[in-house]
Amino acid sequence: MKGLIWIVCLLSSLTYAIEPIAPIPQTLPYDPQKAALGQKLFYDPILSKDYSISCASCHKRAYGGTDGESVSVGIYQLQGNMNAPTVLNSTFNFKQFWNGRANNLREQALGPIHNPIEMGFSAAEAVSRLKKIPEYKESFQTITKRSLITSDDIADMIAEYEKTLITPNAKFDLFLKGKSTLSYEEQEGYNLFKTLGCATCHNGVNVGGNSFQKMGVIIPVKWDQKSSDRYALTKREIDKNVYKVPTLRNIALTAPYFHDGSAPTLKDAVKRMSYHNLGITLSDQESAYIISFLKTLTGKLPKTSLYR
Amino acid sequence: MKGLIWIVCLLSSLTYAIEPIAPIPQTLPYDPQKAALGQKLFYDPILSKDYSISCASCHKRAYGGTDGESVSVGIYQLQGNMNAPTVLNSTFNFKQFWNGRANNLREQALGPIHNPIEMGFSAAEAVSRLKKIPEYKESFQTITKRSLITSDDIADMIAEYEKTLITPNAKFDLFLKGKSTLSYEEQEGYNLFKTLGCATCHNGVNVGGNSFQKMGVIIPVKWDQKSSDRYALTKREIDKNVYKVPTLRNIALTAPYFHDGSAPTLKDAVKRMSYHNLGITLSDQESAYIISFLKTLTGKLPKTSLYR
């Protein structure tokens, strides 16, 4: 399945090979039964220790798949230390989480459930709750043809649902396909985006999400040892402040920005990123153009209901 | 049904008539089928225009049935102008909304759906979406024995679910029942709460929620013409800054406080309320005692899952 997605994206990229950004496909193949069950799990606070938090608590549609907070808040109102990355189009990321510690959405799905300051639970306890609920038990059995629910099944369903959370038909994608034109400001912004070097890291279908990069590669930023960067995984000095490049899809909806949510506005994010990672001090005019372009990356959000 | 609830509360009050606060009953009668459907609707963003907001978006379990924001945010990230009141124990309020414009939970339920800056939708449109979804259509038909879904049915189911959102067994209720004792600080706080006059308005099962009062009755506060106070309904001068007294149940979980969310902490809320509505400047020690007491009002929150 993952292979198929990449083939779709690759073909998509080839068709528009002249540009560093490729449009999001209209649909991706997915299993509707699994996705329907995955959606119920995604919205169900039963997966958190105190029944207070669901996946949807930190991944809201109105905030482009994030929660609009600097850092997320988990059970018992515990403060996290990372900005919730968007769930939208996450299927196009090469790894999941800011530091890429999950290889795919299935690996990712159980992460927040186990995180003591997020959902504070364990997959085993989640399984034990779910199997006591006849509707869940029946739904899992119908799909898996097994009487036992496993934590992998939970991950599988949620990941399948997340495949449906893609946002095609952004103005920029329509432009790439020759079905729309950009305004003067948007075009200027896109030109700057390419010529200044933003597109070096923010490219592909997800305009990011396909490489690790250092935050502050030109002009260093202070390292926070509490942050979940690549260093937290590898303990290699070179991996300090290294994160997965975030997608810029729907970026106008997902303030605040950066792994720590420290950039309250797009303007702040664009200026600081240009400064630290390109060594460029943008003028207000330039950042305004780039923001005009970034706003064209807002796609058509999937409709959603607990019943599909 | 409403009558029955009041009888339960009245009996409850009589049993503990010596105190101005009565314990929350362990359970209230409700229709499990309606409540189960109501819960699905409560969590389903299908009821908002852009599929982004559900009732649960602003009434979260982890925040004691509120959203932890000063004022709520609706569809398209539109900023509201009122602090989300808690849904927990709302069945015990004599009216609903800050200005009491709904007489009961059924009348309340459709309000946010219609509010252009909340869910920005209409009940008619909601009905039209729901009836296209076989699972919803079937659930409504099973309950109502009618083929038609009406907006009143939606309100009915949600209101029925909300009856289940009560929080009995707070430390203070156990104290009232002689099953627990208060610490020195908590008892001092409760004494102050009664002798200074807080209990004049904050009393009964919900420690509030049973009268309208003016914010700033002794020392006036500035009137904000955008606010949804009683004046917005009656246009009578005397109703400016008049709101339903909010419940103090689970108050430790529902910061920020007041109708406009302008009090970030309990300390700030207690001090300002004492000043403006009792004409008293509390010492830090007194407000600390009162806060200790207020924390004993946190009850046992209902467990919840999309499947009941």
Side-chain angles (χ1 to χ4, degrees):
Chain A
M1 182 56 79
K2 194 77 188 174
L4 191 52
I5 295 172
W6 283 110
I7 290 169
V8 171
C9 295
L10 187 66
L11 287 174
S12 186
S13 304
L14 288 173
T15 320
Y16 310 96
I18 204 167
E19 300 296 345
I21 299 173
I24 291 178
Q26 293 298 313
T27 53
L28 287 181
Y30 69 93
D31 179 323
Q33 263 192 313
K34 285 187 180 182
L37 176 52
Q39 185 178 23
K40 292 213 176 70
L41 293 165
F42 190 88
Y43 278 89
D44 203 331
I46 197 175
L47 296 180
S48 67
K49 189 182 183 75
D50 68 350
Y51 292 82
S52 71
I53 303 279
S54 69
C55 306
S57 300
C58 297
H59 300 290
K60 299 173 187 166
R61 198 179 173 285
Y63 290 87
T66 70
D67 58 7
E69 306 286 342
S70 298
V71 293
S72 295
V73 175
I75 54 166
Y76 307 123
Q77 301 185 23
L78 286 166
Q79 199 78 11
N81 61 344
M82 300 295 280
N83 181 262
T86 180
V87 69
L88 298 179
N89 305 305
S90 55
T91 189
F92 300 121
N93 292 335
F94 81 130
K95 305 264 180 184
Q96 303 298 334
F97 292 115
W98 276 101
N99 64 4
R101 64 187 182 278
N103 285 309
N104 51 50
L105 289 176
R106 289 172 66 146
E107 280 185 30
Q108 188 279 330
L110 301 180
I113 297 180
H114 283 93
N115 189 327
I117 56 170
E118 293 185 15
M119 297 162 88
F121 211 37
S122 79
E125 290 170 292
V127 164
S128 135
R129 276 192 194 163
L130 292 176
K131 72 183 182 193
K132 284 186 199 134
I133 297 177
E135 290 89 341
Y136 269 126
K137 206 173 162 189
E138 201 179 294
S139 300
F140 274 103
Q141 281 178 3
T142 308
I143 294 168
T144 64
K145 317 287 182 212
R146 283 181 277 101
S147 62
L148 203 74
I149 303 174
T150 68
S151 57
D152 281 352
D153 292 337
I154 299 177
D156 193 19
M157 305 306 157
I158 294 175
E160 201 68 20
Y161 167 59
E162 289 172 337
K163 280 189 203 163
T164 70
L165 300 178
I166 62 173
T167 64
N169 301 322
K171 183 176 185 185
F172 189 77
D173 284 2
L174 299 180
F175 159 74
L176 285 175
K177 294 176 179 181
K179 293 178 182 169
S180 177
T181 52
L182 298 184
S183 72
Y184 173 77
E185 291 77 13
E186 291 161 353
Q187 184 67 59
E188 283 297 298
Y190 182 45
N191 293 344
L192 287 168
F193 188 83
K194 290 190 285 187
T195 54
L196 297 179
C198 315
T200 312
C201 300
H202 291 286
N203 55 49
V205 171
N206 234 1
V207 202
N210 52 4
S211 66
F212 293 120
Q213 302 291 345
K214 189 185 277 290
M215 174 96 174
V217 69
I218 307 287
I219 296 169
V221 294
K222 198 166 168 285
W223 179 66
D224 176 2
Q225 60 169 358
K226 289 198 307 293
S227 197
S228 297
D229 56 3
R230 291 290 294 164
Y231 175 85
L233 290 181
T234 66
K235 302 294 172 196
R236 297 186 314 172
E237 203 60 27
I238 200 173
D239 282 338
K240 284 184 175 174
N241 276 337
V242 171
Y243 299 96
K244 184 184 69 188
V245 176
T247 176
L248 297 183
R249 291 282 179 187
N250 306 300
I251 198 74
L253 302 177
T254 62
Y257 304 102
F258 297 163
H259 62 278
D260 55 0
S262 63
T265 61
L266 258 185
K267 184 174 175 182
D268 187 45
V270 165
K271 285 204 160 187
R272 278 168 59 189
M273 198 34 69
S274 304
Y275 179 73
H276 288 288
N277 274 38
L278 298 169
I280 295 168
T281 302
L282 289 183
S283 70
D284 280 353
Q285 180 66 84
E286 286 170 323
S287 72
Y289 284 151
I290 292 174
I291 290 168
S292 292
F293 154 65
L294 291 176
K295 287 183 175 170
T296 69
L297 294 171
T298 302
K300 200 164 155 43
L301 273 61
K303 289 183 181 178
T304 194
S305 160
L306 294 182
Y307 289 121
R308 296 167 61 83
Chain B
M1 182 55 81
K2 193 77 188 174
L4 192 52
I5 295 172
W6 282 111
I7 290 169
V8 170
C9 295
L10 187 64
L11 287 175
S12 186
S13 304
L14 289 175
T15 320
Y16 310 97
I18 204 167
E19 300 295 345
I21 299 173
I24 291 178
Q26 293 298 313
T27 52
L28 287 181
Y30 68 92
D31 178 324
Q33 262 191 315
K34 284 187 180 180
L37 176 52
Q39 184 178 25
K40 292 214 175 72
L41 293 165
F42 190 88
Y43 278 90
D44 202 329
I46 196 176
L47 296 181
S48 67
K49 190 183 182 75
D50 67 350
Y51 292 82
S52 70
I53 303 279
S54 70
C55 307
S57 301
C58 296
H59 300 291
K60 298 173 187 165
R61 199 179 172 288
Y63 290 87
T66 69
D67 57 6
E69 307 285 342
S70 298
V71 293
S72 296
V73 175
I75 55 166
Y76 308 124
Q77 300 184 21
L78 286 167
Q79 200 79 9
N81 60 343
M82 300 297 280
N83 180 263
T86 179
V87 71
L88 298 178
N89 306 304
S90 54
T91 189
F92 300 121
N93 292 334
F94 82 130
K95 306 265 178 182
Q96 303 299 333
F97 293 116
W98 277 101
N99 63 4
R101 64 187 181 276
N103 285 308
N104 51 50
L105 289 175
R106 289 171 66 148
E107 279 186 32
Q108 187 280 331
L110 301 179
I113 299 179
H114 284 94
N115 189 326
I117 57 172
E118 293 186 14
M119 298 163 88
F121 210 37
S122 79
E125 290 170 293
V127 164
S128 132
R129 275 192 196 162
L130 291 176
K131 70 184 185 191
K132 285 186 198 133
I133 298 175
E135 290 88 341
Y136 269 126
K137 207 175 161 187
E138 203 177 293
S139 300
F140 274 102
Q141 282 177 3
T142 307
I143 294 168
T144 64
K145 318 287 183 210
R146 285 182 275 102
S147 62
L148 202 74
I149 303 174
T150 68
S151 57
D152 282 350
D153 293 336
I154 299 177
D156 193 20
M157 306 305 158
I158 294 175
E160 202 67 20
Y161 167 59
E162 289 173 336
K163 281 189 204 160
T164 71
L165 300 178
I166 62 173
T167 65
N169 301 322
K171 183 176 185 186
F172 189 77
D173 285 2
L174 299 180
F175 159 73
L176 284 175
K177 294 177 179 180
K179 294 179 181 168
S180 178
T181 51
L182 297 185
S183 72
Y184 172 78
E185 290 77 13
E186 291 161 354
Q187 184 67 60
E188 284 296 299
Y190 182 43
N191 293 344
L192 287 168
F193 187 81
K194 289 190 287 185
T195 54
L196 295 180
C198 314
T200 313
C201 299
H202 292 285
N203 55 49
V205 171
N206 233 0
V207 202
N210 53 1
S211 66
F212 293 119
Q213 302 291 345
K214 190 185 278 287
M215 174 98 175
V217 69
I218 307 286
I219 296 170
V221 296
K222 199 166 167 282
W223 179 66
D224 176 2
Q225 60 168 0
K226 290 200 303 295
S227 196
S228 296
D229 55 5
R230 292 287 298 163
Y231 175 85
L233 290 182
T234 66
K235 302 295 172 197
R236 297 186 315 171
E237 202 61 24
I238 200 174
D239 282 338
K240 284 185 174 173
N241 276 338
V242 172
Y243 299 96
K244 185 184 66 188
V245 176
T247 176
L248 297 183
R249 292 280 179 189
N250 307 297
I251 197 74
L253 303 175
T254 62
Y257 303 101
F258 297 162
H259 63 278
D260 55 0
S262 62
T265 61
L266 259 185
K267 185 175 175 181
D268 187 44
V270 166
K271 286 206 159 190
R272 279 168 59 190
M273 197 34 71
S274 304
Y275 179 72
H276 288 288
N277 275 38
L278 298 170
I280 295 168
T281 302
L282 289 182
S283 70
D284 280 354
Q285 181 65 84
E286 287 171 321
S287 73
Y289 284 150
I290 292 174
I291 290 168
S292 291
F293 155 64
L294 292 176
K295 286 183 177 169
T296 69
L297 295 171
T298 301
K300 201 164 154 43
L301 273 62
K303 289 184 179 177
T304 194
S305 159
L306 293 182
Y307 289 120
R308 298 168 61 86

